[in-house]
Structure formats: C-alpha cells, structure tokens
Amino acid sequence: MPSASASRLAALRTLLKQNELDGLIIPHSDEFLGEYTPACAERLEWLTGFSGSAGMALVLADSAAVFSDGRYITQMDQQVDGSCWERQHIYQTPPPAWLAQKAPKNARIGYDARIMSSAELRPFTTLSGITLVPTNGNLTDVLWTDRPAFPAAPATIHPLVYAGESSQDKRTRLGKALAEAGQAAAVLSDSASIAWLLNIRGTDIPCTPVVLAFAVLHADASVDLFLQASKLPADVREWLGADVRVHEPEALESVLATLSGKTVGVDPASNAVWFAETLTRHGATVQESPDPCVLPKARKNATEQAGTRKAHLKDGVALCRFLHWLDTEEARGTTELQAANKLDAFRAEGADYRGESFPAISGAGPNGAVIHYRVTPESDRALNANEVYLIDSGGQYPEGTTDVTRTVWTGPDAPPARLMETFTRVLRGNLRLGRARFPAGTTGHALDALARYDLWQAGLDYDHGTGHGVGSFLSVHEGPARISKNPSPIALQEGMILSNEPGYYEPGAYGIRLETLVLVREKAGENRPGYAFETLTLAPFDRRLIDTALLGEEDCQILDAYHAQIMTQIGPHLPDEAKNWLKTACAPLKRA
C-alpha cells in the first residue's frame, strides 16, 4: 500500500497534467513568508511528510525531491518517503540546479506567486529552456480537502512598558527614512515587522507572538493594515489610532492600485513576488529595498534591553530548577518528551510565561545528533544512564524572548575522555566568541571562526550557523544580522541580540551544543568605536563534561566569573535543595 505522501504526490501529478504543467515548486513558506506557519499553511509537510521549518519540494512527472539545509538532513531521512522523493541538501544540490538537470525540454513549471519571494523565485528565472507559470491559486490546496481554518485569535496590545517606543514615533522616523529614499510607501509582509511597528502581538502561529497581516507603511507615517476586523478588539483598534487604516485582506490589491505613479519599496526577500507584479501592473514603480523595520527592530532600545535581562532571569530560574531535577532520583527513567514537558512546566510556574519560543529540541543519545530533532510519541526515547542529553529550548515573555541549549551527562559513571575533549572544544568556542571585542562595521561572518577554531584543530566542525538574531517578545530567529560561515553585509550593532551556539554532532551517538544569547554593547577601542558581547543566558555548563586540562587560564577565569554571576542572580530564587545543587554546579573549576 503506498504511503500517504506517495498517494498525494500521484494526485498532484494528475492535477499538474490537467493544468498543462510539467512541474511545480512548493516552498515551505506561506503568504507571509515567515519561518513558522499556521497549520493551514503547512503545505510542504502535508505533501511530503517533512516538518522542518526550512525547505522546498520540486515535483516533475517522473521525479520529485525535497530540499533542506544541514540542520534537517537526518530529519528528512526519517520523515520523507525515499521511494518517491529524493532527499537533497539545499546547498550541495540547489533546487534550480536539480530542476535544470531533471526537467524535460521546454518544461512549464508552476509556482504560486503569493507564497514565493522574488529572491526565492529569481534563481529559477535564469534556467534555460524552462518557462515559469504562475498558477491560478495554490494547487496543493485543491487536493488538501481537510485543510485547517485560518487562525481566528485576536490581536493584543504590546504596551510601552515593554516596547519602549510608541508606534507613532517608530512610524514617524521610518516614514522620514522612506521619504529620504524617494519612496512614497513600503510593503510589509513580515508579521514580526508589523507587530513591532504597531506595538501589537498575537497568537496566530506557534511559538511566535504575532498576528498574521499585511501592511503598507507610507512616508507620512500612516499605515494601511490588512487584517480581518474580527481580529481587532475595540481596545486594540483604539491603540492603533486614526493613522492606521484597517482593511479586510481582500482589499489588498485595490489599495495597492492607489499607489499608481508612486515609488514603492518592496523587500525581495520578505515579500511575495505577487506584490511587485501587482504594483507594476497598476502603474507603480517598484524599488527593491530591505524591509524598513528589520534593522531598527533588531537594535533593541534601552527598555527592551532591560526587559530581556528580566526575561533571562526568569528563564534562568526555570532552567536551573530543571537541570537540578535531571540530577534527582525523580528524573530516573524519564523520556525526552517528559523532560521537555517538565522544563516547560518549570517555566510556566514563573510570572508572565507566554509559552515556548520554538518546539523544544530534547534529544538523548543518538537523537541529540539530529540538529533540529523534534521528539514525537513515536521517537520518544528514555534518558539512559551514562549518555549525553541535549536540551535546546526557549521561552516567550512580554519582556523578551529566550533561547538556550545545554548538553549534560546523565552519569553515574565518568564520561569517556574523547567526549570530554569534544565537549570542551565546543565550550572553548562558546567562550572565545563570547569574550570577543570587535570594531564597528564588523559582520558576524568575521567572528564565526572564533567559535569553530578549537574544533577545527581536531578536524571537527558543525553544519549550522553559529548565531542568529533574536527578537523582543517576537521571533526567536530574527534578521538581519547573523554569525555564520556565509558572508553577510550586515554589521553587528549595539542593541542586537544574537545566539552563540557552537556544537558537534556524532551521528548515531550524541550531539553537543552550547548556546547562550548575547547582547551587543558598546566597548570603545583605542582608535575607533567598538563593541563587545554581554551574555544574557543564566545557566551553568555541565562541569562533568569539562576537561579542565584543555582550558586556558583565561577560559577558567571567564567560566568561573560566569558561574559566580549565575549563583548570585539565580540562587536567591531557588528552593533550598536546588540552590545547594547550584552551588556545586557553579563552584570554581579546579584546573588539571
């Protein structure tokens, strides 16, 4: 009997033939192009079985493939039916290259212009002998007869005590920047940008507190917001003010048509290609430019910086309680799901916890080697004695967003020497990056090697970025800055929050990742402005896995100071038993 994925693929091929198409591009994204999507937009998962947050599928009459990056390669192997889908690394075999090799001559390849960005579609437009054809609606939706409904939850107010700047002030300075760039308006599809700009939040997608909407920001600081009126309670409507005009989503094209003869900014990465096509068709001049909210949103103001420290204090208390619990008799025989739920329960006991910032990665033994492993009832595994357990999780609080990874040894025996060496190399990478000082204008690409250096000396590496931006009660993965092997033109700037997360993964055995969040702070250099990182995360590293003989004197001093800070800030909030555990976990290292 064919799998569900095989049956759906066969039905899609029949539909393609009826529409005179030779193939179809199916991205992971929805109309809002966010990382996480509501259940009604998980088209890639419905068709292929792949549930990762980044990916694409290509379907032809006699071949089909699913693509994702290094975080999800093992997950694809587990979730995607290899009898009908090829499973490809998106960088080693880019989708356009695969299509160029596999597609028949003069192929007509369909795509939904409402769910693909210009940047994502552009590499396909250069393929010789292939014609791209926008489909009339989404073909996957034609087959997905039990598709869930669009989220109906209301938008909520994000008050100034957390936002630190009024929407009017944000809109005024961004509108001025649009005018200086010669733009009458800019299109916004990123729901996090809209949430930040208007100081609103929502619950439309898992783990990210946004309301799904489109907006047009005008140079006069007014906004056209496209959102169902039923999702705007009276207090939120009043909060938005008269300069925010609310329209039903169906009015989007008619409002865009009023921009005829004007220059409109469209971010080719965060807006669907439909926007540029529609504006052009109605006589507007499209100017490709970054989403005007992205960089200001990333540079947290003083209120947001203070808020994220409060959020990390709350989160640190929950995480330290959890790490202590892992060392108790009560935790013996627990499973990955039970452990993740226990940590979530500790967070929920704290004030103002609003849920996870992403589904927890709770991986014991070999499951920890799956970089973005998501435990399910079918994969749930016990935390056995004498193995590695990796927990990567985060919380949403009105003051800020957290993301932290700790790797622990379950004991009771001492860990193997090679494991300790590898863990310590990862730890040194985290410490080396965390203490970096760098001049203004430095990009994350220039810093990435600091985290990898000690692994490289042993011939080791990891197949993911070292750091991503983090929002303020928004997306746990936020642009535009990152720390990665891949070059980025965006320099690190004061107020940005990024992750510091080197790792190492031994397939079939274990995974190691040590993640702390850091805040970019001014640190004047001798001859030019400069920056340094302030570590926000408050959770000890497992000393059982540290080979102190491999740590330098400066490493030990920094680690001891960090652990002392944890004891000072977290200790007073813990029950006595957990506090005593923390004293041991944070005691000064004895260097071998």
Side-chain angles (χ1 to χ4, degrees), residues 351-387:
D352 294 321
Y353 178 57
R354 303 294 173 83
E356 294 180 301
S357 58
F358 60 96
I361 299 168
S362 177
N367 287 343
V370 182
I371 297 174
H372 270 207
Y373 171 70
R374 184 180 297 185
V375 58
T376 66
E378 293 73 29
S379 69
D380 194 18
R381 182 182 183 280
L383 278 62
N384 297 320
N386 297 320
E387 70 176 5

PDB file of all heavy atoms in Angstrom, residues 351-387:
ATOM      1  N   ALA A 351       6.418  33.965  36.444  1.00  0.00           N
ATOM      2  CA  ALA A 351       5.484  35.042  36.115  1.00  0.00           C
ATOM      3  C   ALA A 351       5.490  35.342  34.618  1.00  0.00           C
ATOM      4  O   ALA A 351       6.548  35.389  33.993  1.00  0.00           O
ATOM      5  CB  ALA A 351       5.852  36.302  36.897  1.00  0.00           C
ATOM      6  N   ASP A 352       4.309  35.531  34.059  1.00  0.00           N
ATOM      7  CA  ASP A 352       4.129  36.042  32.698  1.00  0.00           C
ATOM      8  C   ASP A 352       4.726  35.161  31.604  1.00  0.00           C
ATOM      9  O   ASP A 352       5.082  35.660  30.524  1.00  0.00           O
ATOM     10  CB  ASP A 352       4.724  37.459  32.571  1.00  0.00           C
ATOM     11  CG  ASP A 352       3.968  38.469  33.408  1.00  0.00           C
ATOM     12  OD1 ASP A 352       2.738  38.373  33.467  1.00  0.00           O
ATOM     13  OD2 ASP A 352       4.614  39.343  34.012  1.00  0.00           O
ATOM     14  N   TYR A 353       4.832  33.873  31.856  1.00  0.00           N
ATOM     15  CA  TYR A 353       5.319  32.985  30.805  1.00  0.00           C
ATOM     16  C   TYR A 353       4.249  32.834  29.737  1.00  0.00           C
ATOM     17  O   TYR A 353       3.094  32.548  30.024  1.00  0.00           O
ATOM     18  CB  TYR A 353       5.669  31.618  31.398  1.00  0.00           C
ATOM     19  CG  TYR A 353       6.132  30.590  30.393  1.00  0.00           C
ATOM     20  CD1 TYR A 353       7.215  30.831  29.570  1.00  0.00           C
ATOM     21  CD2 TYR A 353       5.485  29.354  30.293  1.00  0.00           C
ATOM     22  CE1 TYR A 353       7.647  29.875  28.658  1.00  0.00           C
ATOM     23  CE2 TYR A 353       5.913  28.389  29.394  1.00  0.00           C
ATOM     24  CZ  TYR A 353       6.985  28.656  28.571  1.00  0.00           C
ATOM     25  OH  TYR A 353       7.417  27.704  27.679  1.00  0.00           O
ATOM     26  N   ARG A 354       4.620  33.042  28.468  1.00  0.00           N
ATOM     27  CA  ARG A 354       3.664  33.010  27.372  1.00  0.00           C
ATOM     28  C   ARG A 354       3.870  31.823  26.426  1.00  0.00           C
ATOM     29  O   ARG A 354       3.353  31.833  25.317  1.00  0.00           O
ATOM     30  CB  ARG A 354       3.750  34.320  26.576  1.00  0.00           C
ATOM     31  CG  ARG A 354       3.518  35.570  27.421  1.00  0.00           C
ATOM     32  CD  ARG A 354       2.090  35.659  27.954  1.00  0.00           C
ATOM     33  NE  ARG A 354       1.930  36.750  28.883  1.00  0.00           N
ATOM     34  CZ  ARG A 354       1.710  38.017  28.540  1.00  0.00           C
ATOM     35  NH1 ARG A 354       1.655  38.348  27.258  1.00  0.00           N
ATOM     36  NH2 ARG A 354       1.557  38.944  29.449  1.00  0.00           N
ATOM     37  N   GLY A 355       4.656  30.853  26.840  1.00  0.00           N
ATOM     38  CA  GLY A 355       4.835  29.666  26.019  1.00  0.00           C
ATOM     39  C   GLY A 355       6.230  29.563  25.434  1.00  0.00           C
ATOM     40  O   GLY A 355       7.066  30.451  25.574  1.00  0.00           O
ATOM     41  N   GLU A 356       6.487  28.454  24.761  1.00  0.00           N
ATOM     42  CA  GLU A 356       7.798  28.200  24.165  1.00  0.00           C
ATOM     43  C   GLU A 356       8.065  29.164  23.016  1.00  0.00           C
ATOM     44  O   GLU A 356       7.154  29.584  22.314  1.00  0.00           O
ATOM     45  CB  GLU A 356       7.876  26.769  23.647  1.00  0.00           C
ATOM     46  CG  GLU A 356       7.820  25.696  24.709  1.00  0.00           C
ATOM     47  CD  GLU A 356       7.894  24.303  24.116  1.00  0.00           C
ATOM     48  OE1 GLU A 356       7.005  23.969  23.299  1.00  0.00           O
ATOM     49  OE2 GLU A 356       8.829  23.560  24.445  1.00  0.00           O
ATOM     50  N   SER A 357       9.339  29.487  22.813  1.00  0.00           N
ATOM     51  CA  SER A 357       9.712  30.313  21.659  1.00  0.00           C
ATOM     52  C   SER A 357       9.984  29.464  20.423  1.00  0.00           C
ATOM     53  O   SER A 357      10.128  30.001  19.317  1.00  0.00           O
ATOM     54  CB  SER A 357      10.935  31.174  21.986  1.00  0.00           C
ATOM     55  OG  SER A 357      12.036  30.378  22.369  1.00  0.00           O
ATOM     56  N   PHE A 358      10.053  28.163  20.592  1.00  0.00           N
ATOM     57  CA  PHE A 358      10.118  27.186  19.499  1.00  0.00           C
ATOM     58  C   PHE A 358       9.919  25.820  20.137  1.00  0.00           C
ATOM     59  O   PHE A 358      10.107  25.667  21.351  1.00  0.00           O
ATOM     60  CB  PHE A 358      11.457  27.252  18.744  1.00  0.00           C
ATOM     61  CG  PHE A 358      12.663  26.991  19.603  1.00  0.00           C
ATOM     62  CD1 PHE A 358      13.240  25.731  19.670  1.00  0.00           C
ATOM     63  CD2 PHE A 358      13.229  28.009  20.361  1.00  0.00           C
ATOM     64  CE1 PHE A 358      14.352  25.489  20.467  1.00  0.00           C
ATOM     65  CE2 PHE A 358      14.339  27.785  21.154  1.00  0.00           C
ATOM     66  CZ  PHE A 358      14.900  26.519  21.211  1.00  0.00           C
ATOM     67  N   PRO A 359       9.518  24.812  19.377  1.00  0.00           N
ATOM     68  CA  PRO A 359       9.353  23.486  19.964  1.00  0.00           C
ATOM     69  C   PRO A 359      10.689  22.973  20.503  1.00  0.00           C
ATOM     70  O   PRO A 359      11.693  22.956  19.790  1.00  0.00           O
ATOM     71  CB  PRO A 359       8.859  22.633  18.788  1.00  0.00           C
ATOM     72  CG  PRO A 359       8.288  23.612  17.820  1.00  0.00           C
ATOM     73  CD  PRO A 359       9.120  24.851  17.953  1.00  0.00           C
ATOM     74  N   ALA A 360      10.709  22.564  21.742  1.00  0.00           N
ATOM     75  CA  ALA A 360      11.961  22.159  22.379  1.00  0.00           C
ATOM     76  C   ALA A 360      12.626  21.013  21.629  1.00  0.00           C
ATOM     77  O   ALA A 360      11.966  20.085  21.159  1.00  0.00           O
ATOM     78  CB  ALA A 360      11.700  21.761  23.829  1.00  0.00           C
ATOM     79  N   ILE A 361      13.943  21.108  21.507  1.00  0.00           N
ATOM     80  CA  ILE A 361      14.755  20.030  20.945  1.00  0.00           C
ATOM     81  C   ILE A 361      15.301  19.247  22.132  1.00  0.00           C
ATOM     82  O   ILE A 361      16.213  19.688  22.824  1.00  0.00           O
ATOM     83  CB  ILE A 361      15.891  20.590  20.078  1.00  0.00           C
ATOM     84  CG1 ILE A 361      15.299  21.392  18.913  1.00  0.00           C
ATOM     85  CG2 ILE A 361      16.799  19.474  19.575  1.00  0.00           C
ATOM     86  CD1 ILE A 361      16.315  22.215  18.154  1.00  0.00           C
ATOM     87  N   SER A 362      14.698  18.106  22.397  1.00  0.00           N
ATOM     88  CA  SER A 362      15.030  17.289  23.567  1.00  0.00           C
ATOM     89  C   SER A 362      15.543  15.955  23.062  1.00  0.00           C
ATOM     90  O   SER A 362      14.760  15.069  22.712  1.00  0.00           O
ATOM     91  CB  SER A 362      13.774  17.124  24.437  1.00  0.00           C
ATOM     92  OG  SER A 362      14.004  16.282  25.544  1.00  0.00           O
ATOM     93  N   GLY A 363      16.871  15.815  22.986  1.00  0.00           N
ATOM     94  CA  GLY A 363      17.452  14.654  22.337  1.00  0.00           C
ATOM     95  C   GLY A 363      18.425  13.898  23.219  1.00  0.00           C
ATOM     96  O   GLY A 363      19.439  14.441  23.656  1.00  0.00           O
ATOM     97  N   ALA A 364      18.131  12.640  23.477  1.00  0.00           N
ATOM     98  CA  ALA A 364      19.003  11.792  24.282  1.00  0.00           C
ATOM     99  C   ALA A 364      19.814  10.878  23.373  1.00  0.00           C
ATOM    100  O   ALA A 364      19.308  10.359  22.373  1.00  0.00           O
ATOM    101  CB  ALA A 364      18.185  10.951  25.260  1.00  0.00           C
ATOM    102  N   GLY A 365      21.095  10.688  23.730  1.00  0.00           N
ATOM    103  CA  GLY A 365      21.945   9.781  22.969  1.00  0.00           C
ATOM    104  C   GLY A 365      21.969  10.131  21.493  1.00  0.00           C
ATOM    105  O   GLY A 365      22.195  11.292  21.120  1.00  0.00           O
ATOM    106  N   PRO A 366      21.699   9.168  20.603  1.00  0.00           N
ATOM    107  CA  PRO A 366      21.798   9.425  19.156  1.00  0.00           C
ATOM    108  C   PRO A 366      20.803  10.465  18.657  1.00  0.00           C
ATOM    109  O   PRO A 366      21.057  11.120  17.644  1.00  0.00           O
ATOM    110  CB  PRO A 366      21.533   8.052  18.531  1.00  0.00           C
ATOM    111  CG  PRO A 366      20.832   7.258  19.591  1.00  0.00           C
ATOM    112  CD  PRO A 366      21.372   7.750  20.894  1.00  0.00           C
ATOM    113  N   ASN A 367      19.682  10.647  19.340  1.00  0.00           N
ATOM    114  CA  ASN A 367      18.715  11.655  18.888  1.00  0.00           C
ATOM    115  C   ASN A 367      19.277  13.068  19.016  1.00  0.00           C
ATOM    116  O   ASN A 367      18.873  13.975  18.290  1.00  0.00           O
ATOM    117  CB  ASN A 367      17.415  11.540  19.676  1.00  0.00           C
ATOM    118  CG  ASN A 367      16.606  10.318  19.277  1.00  0.00           C
ATOM    119  OD1 ASN A 367      16.840   9.734  18.220  1.00  0.00           O
ATOM    120  ND2 ASN A 367      15.661   9.928  20.109  1.00  0.00           N
ATOM    121  N   GLY A 368      20.215  13.256  19.924  1.00  0.00           N
ATOM    122  CA  GLY A 368      20.845  14.564  20.076  1.00  0.00           C
ATOM    123  C   GLY A 368      21.702  14.941  18.889  1.00  0.00           C
ATOM    124  O   GLY A 368      22.031  16.119  18.702  1.00  0.00           O
ATOM    125  N   ALA A 369      22.074  13.950  18.067  1.00  0.00           N
ATOM    126  CA  ALA A 369      22.880  14.229  16.876  1.00  0.00           C
ATOM    127  C   ALA A 369      22.040  14.763  15.726  1.00  0.00           C
ATOM    128  O   ALA A 369      22.586  15.230  14.724  1.00  0.00           O
ATOM    129  CB  ALA A 369      23.611  12.961  16.432  1.00  0.00           C
ATOM    130  N   VAL A 370      20.713  14.721  15.851  1.00  0.00           N
ATOM    131  CA  VAL A 370      19.821  15.309  14.853  1.00  0.00           C
ATOM    132  C   VAL A 370      19.681  16.783  15.224  1.00  0.00           C
ATOM    133  O   VAL A 370      19.053  17.124  16.220  1.00  0.00           O
ATOM    134  CB  VAL A 370      18.450  14.610  14.847  1.00  0.00           C
ATOM    135  CG1 VAL A 370      17.548  15.206  13.776  1.00  0.00           C
ATOM    136  CG2 VAL A 370      18.622  13.110  14.638  1.00  0.00           C
ATOM    137  N   ILE A 371      20.262  17.660  14.419  1.00  0.00           N
ATOM    138  CA  ILE A 371      20.464  19.045  14.851  1.00  0.00           C
ATOM    139  C   ILE A 371      19.161  19.724  15.243  1.00  0.00           C
ATOM    140  O   ILE A 371      19.092  20.415  16.256  1.00  0.00           O
ATOM    141  CB  ILE A 371      21.204  19.831  13.751  1.00  0.00           C
ATOM    142  CG1 ILE A 371      22.596  19.222  13.544  1.00  0.00           C
ATOM    143  CG2 ILE A 371      21.319  21.309  14.106  1.00  0.00           C
ATOM    144  CD1 ILE A 371      23.370  19.813  12.383  1.00  0.00           C
ATOM    145  N   HIS A 372      18.112  19.550  14.446  1.00  0.00           N
ATOM    146  CA  HIS A 372      16.813  20.129  14.801  1.00  0.00           C
ATOM    147  C   HIS A 372      15.809  19.017  15.079  1.00  0.00           C
ATOM    148  O   HIS A 372      14.670  19.042  14.615  1.00  0.00           O
ATOM    149  CB  HIS A 372      16.312  21.067  13.708  1.00  0.00           C
ATOM    150  CG  HIS A 372      16.753  22.477  13.916  1.00  0.00           C
ATOM    151  ND1 HIS A 372      16.047  23.559  13.434  1.00  0.00           N
ATOM    152  CD2 HIS A 372      17.805  23.002  14.566  1.00  0.00           C
ATOM    153  CE1 HIS A 372      16.662  24.683  13.774  1.00  0.00           C
ATOM    154  NE2 HIS A 372      17.737  24.363  14.451  1.00  0.00           N
ATOM    155  N   TYR A 373      16.211  18.087  15.898  1.00  0.00           N
ATOM    156  CA  TYR A 373      15.364  16.953  16.271  1.00  0.00           C
ATOM    157  C   TYR A 373      14.099  17.440  16.975  1.00  0.00           C
ATOM    158  O   TYR A 373      14.141  18.319  17.833  1.00  0.00           O
ATOM    159  CB  TYR A 373      16.147  16.030  17.194  1.00  0.00           C
ATOM    160  CG  TYR A 373      15.351  14.925  17.845  1.00  0.00           C
ATOM    161  CD1 TYR A 373      14.863  13.857  17.098  1.00  0.00           C
ATOM    162  CD2 TYR A 373      15.111  14.936  19.218  1.00  0.00           C
ATOM    163  CE1 TYR A 373      14.158  12.832  17.699  1.00  0.00           C
ATOM    164  CE2 TYR A 373      14.416  13.906  19.829  1.00  0.00           C
ATOM    165  CZ  TYR A 373      13.933  12.862  19.067  1.00  0.00           C
ATOM    166  OH  TYR A 373      13.224  11.844  19.669  1.00  0.00           O
ATOM    167  N   ARG A 374      12.962  16.876  16.586  1.00  0.00           N
ATOM    168  CA  ARG A 374      11.714  17.163  17.292  1.00  0.00           C
ATOM    169  C   ARG A 374      11.129  15.848  17.775  1.00  0.00           C
ATOM    170  O   ARG A 374      10.713  15.007  16.986  1.00  0.00           O
ATOM    171  CB  ARG A 374      10.712  17.888  16.396  1.00  0.00           C
ATOM    172  CG  ARG A 374       9.432  18.287  17.154  1.00  0.00           C
ATOM    173  CD  ARG A 374       8.437  19.003  16.264  1.00  0.00           C
ATOM    174  NE  ARG A 374       8.955  20.261  15.770  1.00  0.00           N
ATOM    175  CZ  ARG A 374       8.222  21.115  15.052  1.00  0.00           C
ATOM    176  NH1 ARG A 374       6.962  20.836  14.768  1.00  0.00           N
ATOM    177  NH2 ARG A 374       8.748  22.252  14.630  1.00  0.00           N
ATOM    178  N   VAL A 375      11.109  15.672  19.080  1.00  0.00           N
ATOM    179  CA  VAL A 375      10.638  14.422  19.649  1.00  0.00           C
ATOM    180  C   VAL A 375       9.142  14.268  19.409  1.00  0.00           C
ATOM    181  O   VAL A 375       8.364  15.221  19.497  1.00  0.00           O
ATOM    182  CB  VAL A 375      10.974  14.349  21.152  1.00  0.00           C
ATOM    183  CG1 VAL A 375      10.384  15.504  21.934  1.00  0.00           C
ATOM    184  CG2 VAL A 375      10.529  13.007  21.737  1.00  0.00           C
ATOM    185  N   THR A 376       8.738  13.061  19.081  1.00  0.00           N
ATOM    186  CA  THR A 376       7.337  12.700  18.898  1.00  0.00           C
ATOM    187  C   THR A 376       7.052  11.476  19.767  1.00  0.00           C
ATOM    188  O   THR A 376       7.983  10.814  20.240  1.00  0.00           O
ATOM    189  CB  THR A 376       7.046  12.347  17.434  1.00  0.00           C
ATOM    190  OG1 THR A 376       7.771  11.146  17.089  1.00  0.00           O
ATOM    191  CG2 THR A 376       7.457  13.482  16.495  1.00  0.00           C
ATOM    192  N   PRO A 377       5.775  11.154  19.971  1.00  0.00           N
ATOM    193  CA  PRO A 377       5.482   9.929  20.731  1.00  0.00           C
ATOM    194  C   PRO A 377       6.136   8.696  20.119  1.00  0.00           C
ATOM    195  O   PRO A 377       6.496   7.746  20.837  1.00  0.00           O
ATOM    196  CB  PRO A 377       3.952   9.853  20.676  1.00  0.00           C
ATOM    197  CG  PRO A 377       3.509  11.282  20.556  1.00  0.00           C
ATOM    198  CD  PRO A 377       4.556  11.931  19.686  1.00  0.00           C
ATOM    199  N   GLU A 378       6.300   8.710  18.786  1.00  0.00           N
ATOM    200  CA  GLU A 378       6.912   7.547  18.118  1.00  0.00           C
ATOM    201  C   GLU A 378       8.416   7.499  18.329  1.00  0.00           C
ATOM    202  O   GLU A 378       9.003   6.406  18.418  1.00  0.00           O
ATOM    203  CB  GLU A 378       6.610   7.581  16.621  1.00  0.00           C
ATOM    204  CG  GLU A 378       5.144   7.388  16.257  1.00  0.00           C
ATOM    205  CD  GLU A 378       4.286   8.605  16.578  1.00  0.00           C
ATOM    206  OE1 GLU A 378       4.817   9.747  16.562  1.00  0.00           O
ATOM    207  OE2 GLU A 378       3.082   8.418  16.863  1.00  0.00           O
ATOM    208  N   SER A 379       9.068   8.654  18.404  1.00  0.00           N
ATOM    209  CA  SER A 379      10.534   8.679  18.541  1.00  0.00           C
ATOM    210  C   SER A 379      10.995   8.814  19.989  1.00  0.00           C
ATOM    211  O   SER A 379      12.184   8.727  20.267  1.00  0.00           O
ATOM    212  CB  SER A 379      11.115   9.839  17.722  1.00  0.00           C
ATOM    213  OG  SER A 379      10.769  11.089  18.304  1.00  0.00           O
ATOM    214  N   ASP A 380      10.054   9.060  20.894  1.00  0.00           N
ATOM    215  CA  ASP A 380      10.391   9.337  22.296  1.00  0.00           C
ATOM    216  C   ASP A 380      11.292   8.251  22.868  1.00  0.00           C
ATOM    217  O   ASP A 380      11.000   7.060  22.767  1.00  0.00           O
ATOM    218  CB  ASP A 380       9.100   9.431  23.103  1.00  0.00           C
ATOM    219  CG  ASP A 380       9.300  10.041  24.471  1.00  0.00           C
ATOM    220  OD1 ASP A 380      10.343  10.707  24.684  1.00  0.00           O
ATOM    221  OD2 ASP A 380       8.426   9.869  25.335  1.00  0.00           O
ATOM    222  N   ARG A 381      12.385   8.693  23.484  1.00  0.00           N
ATOM    223  CA  ARG A 381      13.423   7.777  23.961  1.00  0.00           C
ATOM    224  C   ARG A 381      13.754   8.096  25.409  1.00  0.00           C
ATOM    225  O   ARG A 381      13.754   9.263  25.817  1.00  0.00           O
ATOM    226  CB  ARG A 381      14.669   7.934  23.085  1.00  0.00           C
ATOM    227  CG  ARG A 381      15.832   7.018  23.407  1.00  0.00           C
ATOM    228  CD  ARG A 381      17.008   7.335  22.476  1.00  0.00           C
ATOM    229  NE  ARG A 381      18.123   6.444  22.681  1.00  0.00           N
ATOM    230  CZ  ARG A 381      19.011   6.563  23.660  1.00  0.00           C
ATOM    231  NH1 ARG A 381      18.903   7.567  24.529  1.00  0.00           N
ATOM    232  NH2 ARG A 381      20.020   5.719  23.774  1.00  0.00           N
ATOM    233  N   ALA A 382      14.028   7.086  26.193  1.00  0.00           N
ATOM    234  CA  ALA A 382      14.404   7.304  27.590  1.00  0.00           C
ATOM    235  C   ALA A 382      15.798   7.916  27.678  1.00  0.00           C
ATOM    236  O   ALA A 382      16.655   7.679  26.819  1.00  0.00           O
ATOM    237  CB  ALA A 382      14.367   5.994  28.363  1.00  0.00           C
ATOM    238  N   LEU A 383      16.014   8.711  28.716  1.00  0.00           N
ATOM    239  CA  LEU A 383      17.348   9.221  29.024  1.00  0.00           C
ATOM    240  C   LEU A 383      18.055   8.133  29.828  1.00  0.00           C
ATOM    241  O   LEU A 383      17.811   7.958  31.034  1.00  0.00           O
ATOM    242  CB  LEU A 383      17.276  10.506  29.848  1.00  0.00           C
ATOM    243  CG  LEU A 383      17.044  11.824  29.106  1.00  0.00           C
ATOM    244  CD1 LEU A 383      15.713  11.836  28.378  1.00  0.00           C
ATOM    245  CD2 LEU A 383      17.109  12.992  30.071  1.00  0.00           C
ATOM    246  N   ASN A 384      18.887   7.375  29.165  1.00  0.00           N
ATOM    247  CA  ASN A 384      19.557   6.253  29.807  1.00  0.00           C
ATOM    248  C   ASN A 384      20.768   6.717  30.607  1.00  0.00           C
ATOM    249  O   ASN A 384      21.257   7.835  30.444  1.00  0.00           O
ATOM    250  CB  ASN A 384      19.991   5.230  28.758  1.00  0.00           C
ATOM    251  CG  ASN A 384      18.803   4.624  28.040  1.00  0.00           C
ATOM    252  OD1 ASN A 384      17.780   4.336  28.657  1.00  0.00           O
ATOM    253  ND2 ASN A 384      18.925   4.436  26.733  1.00  0.00           N
ATOM    254  N   ALA A 385      21.264   5.848  31.459  1.00  0.00           N
ATOM    255  CA  ALA A 385      22.464   6.150  32.236  1.00  0.00           C
ATOM    256  C   ALA A 385      23.669   6.268  31.308  1.00  0.00           C
ATOM    257  O   ALA A 385      23.724   5.650  30.235  1.00  0.00           O
ATOM    258  CB  ALA A 385      22.709   5.060  33.274  1.00  0.00           C
ATOM    259  N   ASN A 386      24.602   7.121  31.700  1.00  0.00           N
ATOM    260  CA  ASN A 386      25.897   7.245  31.026  1.00  0.00           C
ATOM    261  C   ASN A 386      25.775   7.578  29.532  1.00  0.00           C
ATOM    262  O   ASN A 386      26.356   6.921  28.676  1.00  0.00           O
ATOM    263  CB  ASN A 386      26.721   5.960  31.208  1.00  0.00           C
ATOM    264  CG  ASN A 386      27.043   5.703  32.666  1.00  0.00           C
ATOM    265  OD1 ASN A 386      27.358   6.633  33.406  1.00  0.00           O
ATOM    266  ND2 ASN A 386      26.931   4.454  33.084  1.00  0.00           N
ATOM    267  N   GLU A 387      24.996   8.610  29.256  1.00  0.00           N
ATOM    268  CA  GLU A 387      24.900   9.098  27.898  1.00  0.00           C
ATOM    269  C   GLU A 387      24.707  10.609  27.906  1.00  0.00           C
ATOM    270  O   GLU A 387      24.519  11.232  28.952  1.00  0.00           O
ATOM    271  CB  GLU A 387      23.782   8.406  27.126  1.00  0.00           C
ATOM    272  CG  GLU A 387      22.389   8.749  27.559  1.00  0.00           C
ATOM    273  CD  GLU A 387      21.324   8.079  26.669  1.00  0.00           C
ATOM    274  OE1 GLU A 387      21.696   7.285  25.777  1.00  0.00           O
ATOM    275  OE2 GLU A 387      20.130   8.357  26.868  1.00  0.00           O
TER     276      GLU A 387
END
